[in-house]
Amino acid sequence: MSPVPYNLDQDLRYLPRRAAAEVLTPNDTQKVTLIVAGCYVVAIAIFPYLEQLLYPFKLLTVGMHEMSHAVAGVLTCGTVEKITLDPREGGSTRMRGGIPVITLPAGYLGSSFFGACFVACGFDTDASKVACLVLAFFFLLTLWWARSSWTAWATIALMVALIIICWLVAHSVALRFLVLFIGVMSCFYAIWDIIDDTLARKVNSSDASEYANVVGCCGSRFWGAFWLIQACCFFAAGILVGIVAFKDDWHTQAQHADTFLGGTP
């Protein structure tokens, strides 16, 4: 019986394409994560009906928005004087100096970028734990700049308690989905806020309107649409990174979670 003929050169030619397809194809664990992320998107889309339930997460997202302004200000040699979080879900960052063309878009783009990072980390338990440690650092910075805001203290205290509970329960599986939700909320609230402030209705005091005044061209709706596209790209990138980088199944992730930072399985 003669062997089945094959063309080695042809097989090698298609090998990178096949490998790329395998890497980008979600496994069963990742499919569950994608389904949960889709449910989060739906929940955020119908936010007015779930406002009381999602209220603390919206305040957290507003805090990340203001933190992004503040970090951009510090990186451009500015001085952050105060961050304020309002119980009515507003926020403001007061600073001196800095480069406005960087600090103004940093609110929307920074919060959506960090949100995309949390979305990617939400595909893996250990990565979610690392994300929570980074988030704790940002909490400390926020409390330093917003130390006179009781809303900031209450929001962060609630989030810390929730993170600790999710960390300790059931091999930290709940922590994964909490980090995933924070990421999706941060990305889509930024998208929703851009649409609401610059496209659906023009708000004269929005970041986009101030940015248009600084650069002197194109108008707030143009910059709002431009930031909207970037925020959507960040979210898509977070999903892709999560699929490519974190392929472990539930059991493997549980084993790694039990030994995180030298713990005993």
Side-chain angles (χ1 to χ4, degrees), residues 117-135 163 167 172-181 246 253 260:
C117 292
F118 291 140
V119 167
C121 290
F123 281 79
D124 183 80
T125 305
D126 278 2
S128 296
K129 290 185 175 182
V130 173
C132 287
L133 296 177
V134 174
L135 194 59
I163 287 172
W167 188 306
S172 304
V173 172
L175 187 69
R176 272 190 57 200
F177 294 112
L178 175 62
V179 169
L180 181 67
F181 181 77
F246 304 115
Q253 289 191 32
F260 185 77

Side-chain angles (χ1 to χ4, degrees), residues 66-67 70 80-85 92-94 142 145-146 149:
E66 301 305 331
M67 262 297 304
V80 179
E81 296 181 343
K82 186 178 182 181
I83 288 178
T84 302
L85 295 184
S92 64
T93 301
R94 190 172 66 192
T142 302
W145 283 321
S149 173

